[in-house]
Amino acid sequence: MNQATLQQSGKGYNVATVGNLSTFEGKAFLKEVIGTTGMEVSFGSLAPGQAVPFFHHHKLNEELYIVLSGEGIFTLDGNEVPVQSGSVVRIAPAVSRCTKCTGEAPLIYLCIQAQEGSLQQYTMTDGVIEQ
Ligand code: ZN
């Protein structure tokens, strides 16, 4: 089991680590460690054949799963969707979901939660190029 560890803080920023992702195991939530205010972020890992032991949905938050390595299946409202390294899965709050590792290596993923419909500006409308 890996834990997120705060490494450095400055005015307006925090730096944390969950360690080497190639050996990451378990689940690590970052919000409390890194101080995000508009999203929850977590790393997750499932061993070969392992599934998240429950289905769940959310009240307000959409989720974005980014598969970092391995292969698996997302079950989304009963539909089985194969994923692999590089897959990006956006899930609306009400969709029932579960994840299973189907490959011979661990399925390692990043999950970002944010309130559905809350994004007001992004990329060129929010970023300010300084030089
Ligand atoms: Zn969730």
Side-chain angles (χ1 to χ4, degrees):
M1 182 69 123
N2 295 63
Q3 299 286 325
T5 304
L6 185 65
Q7 293 184 302
Q8 185 177 345
S9 292
K11 184 178 180 187
Y13 69 89
N14 295 310
V15 180
T17 184
V18 294
N20 187 331
L21 288 178
S22 67
T23 58
F24 179 83
E25 293 182 348
K27 185 81 170 171
F29 290 94
L30 299 180
K31 181 183 182 305
E32 300 302 325
V33 174
I34 205 157
T36 53
T37 63
M39 71 189 87
E40 170 65 289
V41 181
S42 61
F43 285 96
S45 176
L46 294 168
Q50 184 184 20
V52 174
F54 52 85
F55 281 77
H56 79 287
H57 67 276
H58 282 262
K59 297 175 184 173
L60 297 175
N61 294 344
E62 62 184 1
E63 288 186 316
L64 184 71
Y65 287 83
I66 302 168
V67 178
L68 302 173
S69 65
E71 300 173 10
I73 289 177
F74 277 65
T75 303
L76 305 171
D77 277 346
N79 298 307
E80 293 192 344
V81 179
V83 298
Q84 60 188 358
S85 178
S87 295
V88 180
V89 184
R90 181 268 174 182
I91 307 173
V95 174
S96 176
R97 68 207 65 179
C98 191
T99 309
K100 181 176 183 176
C101 176
T102 58
E104 295 184 3
L107 178 70
I108 300 175
Y109 57 92
L110 181 65
C111 181
I112 301 169
Q113 289 182 39
Q115 186 174 342
E116 185 177 51
S118 65
L119 188 63
Q120 295 181 12
Q121 298 188 110
Y122 56 95
T123 314
M124 295 308 288
T125 57
D126 191 63
V128 180
I129 296 173
E130 298 178 2
Q131 290 184 352

